[in-house]
Amino acid sequence: MYRSFEDLEVWKRGCRLAVEVCQALAKSRVYFVRDQMQRAALSIPSNIAEGSERDSKLDYIRFLRIVKGSAAELRTQCYIAFKLEVLNKSDASRFSSECKEIASMLQGLIRSIGRTKSAT
């Protein structure tokens, strides 16, 4: 068991991904894409943290499901950003793959939390 969300590898990876996405888009002049992608990327570790501090496991699981949605949103935006030439193929592919891995890790965490006693 972990003591804090900072101990979770999925949170750490979410933070790294958010930083990398923000850095890759820092000079983009396609503001609506940049803003939306940065928000989606930042919401991944932020919602993991927020959910972990909730008073119930069911709330935590709800937040983790929201995070999975944010990861899927960011994957979609990577595809679009590549097509709009906002991201190069390498970054788009790397970010998309990381989103898939984070989503898989989140699903495992959801299962783990759901198995523990007292899902209140």
Side-chain angles (χ1 to χ4, degrees):
M1 191 70 181
Y2 64 92
R3 292 187 195 123
S4 173
F5 63 85
E6 289 107 331
D7 297 331
L8 294 171
E9 185 62 28
V10 69
W11 177 82
K12 293 174 187 175
R13 286 177 73 166
C15 286
R16 279 193 301 269
L17 176 62
V19 168
E20 290 176 11
V21 167
C22 289
Q23 288 172 337
L25 297 170
K27 295 179 181 174
S28 172
R29 291 186 174 204
V30 185
Y31 300 112
F32 67 97
V33 173
R34 181 184 73 194
D35 183 59
Q36 195 67 23
M37 289 183 73
Q38 288 174 336
R39 287 175 185 270
L42 289 168
S43 75
I44 292 171
S46 298
N47 278 307
I48 292 169
E50 184 174 353
S52 76
E53 294 294 319
R54 294 293 175 138
D55 290 335
S56 81
K57 291 180 182 180
L58 292 177
D59 255 0
Y60 190 14
I61 290 170
R62 184 173 64 84
F63 271 82
L64 294 176
R65 288 182 175 138
I66 290 168
V67 176
K68 283 183 66 184
S70 294
E73 179 182 357
L74 184 56
R75 280 174 47 207
T76 299
Q77 293 162 353
C78 286
Y79 172 80
I80 293 167
F82 169 67
K83 292 294 187 183
L84 293 173
E85 298 180 354
V86 173
L87 281 180
N88 63 45
K89 186 171 184 143
S90 175
D91 284 343
S93 179
R94 185 167 45 90
F95 297 156
S96 182
S97 292
E98 185 65 4
C99 285
K100 287 178 186 178
E101 290 184 36
I102 286 171
S104 178
M105 293 171 77
L106 289 165
Q107 189 58 45
L109 183 56
I110 289 167
R111 277 195 299 268
S112 172
I113 292 168
R115 278 190 234 125
T116 60
K117 292 183 182 178
S118 173
T120 57

